[in-house]
Amino acid sequence: TSVKRPVAVKTLHPALATAPTFFERFRREAEIASRLRHPNVITIFDFGRAEDGTCYYVMELLQGESLKQIVKREGPMSLRRAVRVIGQACLGLAHAHNQGCVHRDLKPHNIMVQHIDGQEFIKVLDFGLVKALEQDEDEQLTSTGQVLGTPQYMAPEQARGEAVDQRSDLYSMAGV
């Protein structure tokens, strides 16, 4: 209510928050994601932990549907349309990469297609698995060997639990 506009609130399952390092990892990843400022990236206004232990993000409320929903309903896109959609998603992803962030869960579910002034406008969503590349290996709470993401779009090194970087996101985007 403090931002005086409609927002979306995403909560994470309370059972996840019981892991010893979960909230610290959540806090760090939310802080990194909230620094991203690009028209093709979802804006996160706030994040935290409620009194009952529920972790949450407060973000802009988008009107539209996911790329997954569109393709499921309409079938394959024309090449021209696909290039426009993926091109905009890549602009948002490039911004994240320039800020030292790797998304780690790119998939059609996390690409929102909105219609603004008769044009398709794309937002990349769900930076909840974001990884900051500037962290020292000793500081990383998401350790090598831990596999996070959606297997169908995952780069091989990510699926093996190895270190990921921007190239892993590019592999996933190619799958999209």
Side-chain angles (χ1 to χ4, degrees):
T1 59
S2 64
V3 294
K4 305 291 185 217
R5 66 175 129 182
V7 296
V9 178
K10 179 178 184 177
T11 60
L12 304 178
H13 196 282
L16 293 173
T18 61
T21 60
F22 176 82
F23 183 72
E24 181 56 28
R25 185 174 71 218
F26 167 81
R27 185 200 61 74
R28 187 176 292 182
E29 291 173 351
E31 185 177 291
I32 293 162
S34 69
R35 290 191 316 233
L36 299 177
R37 300 276 187 261
H38 190 276
N40 298 113
V41 173
I42 187 87
T43 299
I44 296 175
F45 300 121
D46 196 13
F47 58 89
R49 184 182 234 170
E51 289 179 17
D52 68 358
T54 303
C55 297
Y56 64 87
Y57 292 101
V58 179
M59 61 193 106
E60 67 181 306
L61 180 64
L62 302 176
Q63 300 297 322
E65 55 188 331
S66 73
L67 183 57
K68 177 186 168 99
Q69 292 169 311
I70 292 171
V71 172
K72 185 176 182 180
R73 185 183 67 249
E74 298 176 11
M77 291 184 166
S78 70
L79 179 59
R80 184 178 310 275
R81 184 179 183 197
V83 167
R84 281 194 312 266
V85 168
I86 298 302
Q88 287 185 53
C90 285
L91 290 173
L93 187 60
H95 171 74
H97 289 172
N98 288 336
Q99 299 299 310
C101 297
V102 177
H103 188 286
R104 299 194 301 170
D105 196 24
L106 287 167
K107 56 188 175 183
H109 310 63
N110 289 337
I111 297 175
M112 176 70 80
V113 180
Q114 305 174 92
H115 292 277
I116 300 173
D117 296 330
Q119 301 290 317
E120 286 186 327
F121 189 78
I122 307 308
K123 291 266 189 179
V124 179
L125 314 178
D126 206 359
F127 279 80
L129 295 181
V130 73
K131 176 183 170 130
L133 293 176
E134 76 269 5
Q135 294 172 347
D136 292 333
E137 201 62 39
D138 294 341
E139 291 180 9
Q140 288 187 14
L141 295 172
T142 305
S143 60
T144 300
Q146 187 174 14
V147 179
L148 300 170
T150 303
Q152 297 92 319
Y153 298 93
M154 223 180 252
E157 64 276 9
Q158 186 175 355
R160 290 190 301 264
E162 298 171 1
V164 298
D165 61 22
Q166 293 96 333
R167 295 171 295 181
S168 304
D169 279 349
L170 294 178
Y171 181 96
S172 297
M173 188 63 81
V176 170

